[in-house]
Amino acid sequence: MNVEKQESSVAEAKQTEKKLCVVIPYYKAIHQPMALLYAIRSLCAYLLADFKVVVIGDKEDWFSPELVHVPSSLSAVDTDSIIDDAFTKVTLVEHISDEFILMMPDTFLLTPLSVSHMLISKASESLEFNTGLPFGVDIKQVMQYLTAMPDEPLTMEICQHCSSHDRPVVVDWRKNEWLLPVVSANPNPAKFKELVDKRFFMRYSKEGWSGFLQDKLKVMYPNKSKYEV
């Protein structure tokens, strides 16, 4: 075996041991179970990588053995509590990838995307990490933070900095292709169709979860994933 093939084999072996993880915090008190199902289907349809899904929080009856579930419960369900709980529990995942992707269950991929699209940090126009879109996290940096400051909660801001991608892309749905926000129960169907074909990700707000959106998701992601029984 030549050197190039040998290095390739070693790399493949390491990848098998620590397959890229997509970590999704999910709590029934705040999240929609059908949204989680379609979010996972969107990953399987459009993420151009070999990965495994890890759900931290509550469990649904349709979870298959392929899905890694870490049980957890929360008394508070604000964003920082969810992030702190997820990143504390993620250290319990066996063979967690050195860099994993955090993705919220209200987010859907709309087009084929590379791992780089998922890993890169994303910020609003004011450079705040409040877009809710997927980003990559270095597990070693998380462990270092938890060890150094065990009593301090992990916030979205801190977790975004636990990444090797320190130059975020700016997300502005009016100006670039990164996000389609659904903030109304009755979006304009023509405008929705126009934008859904031009954006990378879609997210809905509390007001945006509606019969309209559920009908669209059912059509957009019809294929059952391996993470469903």
Side-chain angles (χ1 to χ4, degrees):
M1 180 182 292
N2 62 37
V3 174
E4 184 177 339
K5 287 185 177 180
Q6 185 174 16
E7 290 177 347
S8 177
S9 297
V10 170
E12 288 177 4
K14 289 182 177 179
Q15 183 64 22
T16 300
E17 182 181 351
K18 290 190 174 182
K19 186 183 294 185
L20 175 68
C21 295
V22 180
V23 176
I24 306 177
Y26 169 70
Y27 305 93
K28 294 181 181 181
I30 191 172
H31 299 131
Q32 298 289 341
M34 291 306 295
L36 172 65
L37 182 143
Y38 288 124
I40 292 173
R41 285 188 180 184
S42 79
L43 277 168
C44 294
Y46 291 128
L47 180 53
L48 304 175
D50 188 19
F51 63 92
K52 66 180 178 182
V53 171
V54 178
V55 172
I56 295 176
D58 291 321
K59 184 178 182 180
E60 292 295 334
D61 292 340
W62 50 263
F63 286 4
S64 81
E66 294 285 342
L67 187 151
V68 178
H69 174 243
V70 180
S72 186
S73 60
L74 285 176
S75 56
V77 287
D78 58 278
T79 300
D80 282 343
S81 295
I82 290 170
I83 294 297
D84 184 54
D85 186 64
F87 278 83
T88 302
K89 298 294 192 306
V90 79
T91 59
L92 304 175
V93 178
E94 187 176 6
H95 299 313
I96 186 73
S97 49
D98 294 337
E99 187 169 29
F100 64 88
I101 296 165
L102 180 76
M103 177 170 154
M104 303 305 287
D106 56 6
T107 303
F108 315 94
L109 281 66
L110 297 176
T111 190
L113 296 176
S114 69
V115 172
S116 296
H117 286 100
M118 302 289 284
L119 290 176
I120 193 167
S121 294
K122 302 161 184 76
S124 65
E125 287 184 287
S126 57
L127 297 183
E128 296 178 346
F129 297 118
N130 58 1
T131 66
L133 294 183
F135 62 92
V137 183
D138 187 321
I139 187 63
K140 290 181 180 178
Q141 292 192 44
V142 172
M143 296 290 287
Q144 288 170 3
Y145 183 88
L146 291 172
T147 300
M149 307 185 73
D151 298 324
E152 293 295 321
L154 277 160
T155 64
M156 179 72 80
E157 187 82 14
I158 291 170
C159 292
Q160 286 270 8
H161 287 299
C162 291
S163 168
S164 57
H165 306 271
D166 56 353
R167 291 187 179 182
V169 295
V170 174
V171 174
D172 184 343
W173 73 271
R174 294 158 298 186
K175 298 178 181 178
N176 59 40
E177 67 273 28
W178 282 95
L179 176 63
L180 167 58
V182 180
V183 297
S184 168
N186 296 292
N188 181 297
K191 192 66 175 177
F192 180 90
K193 185 179 187 309
E194 175 193 345
L195 294 180
V196 83
D197 291 334
K198 297 179 180 178
R199 298 294 187 263
F200 294 164
F201 298 99
M202 177 171 67
R203 286 194 72 217
Y204 68 88
S205 67
K206 182 178 179 180
E207 296 76 17
W209 182 252
S210 65
F212 172 91
L213 182 59
Q214 292 179 64
D215 288 344
K216 293 297 183 184
L217 292 171
K218 187 176 181 179
V219 173
M220 291 164 65
Y221 311 108
N223 297 325
K224 187 175 178 179
S225 79
K226 67 179 182 180
Y227 298 106
E228 304 167 45
V229 294

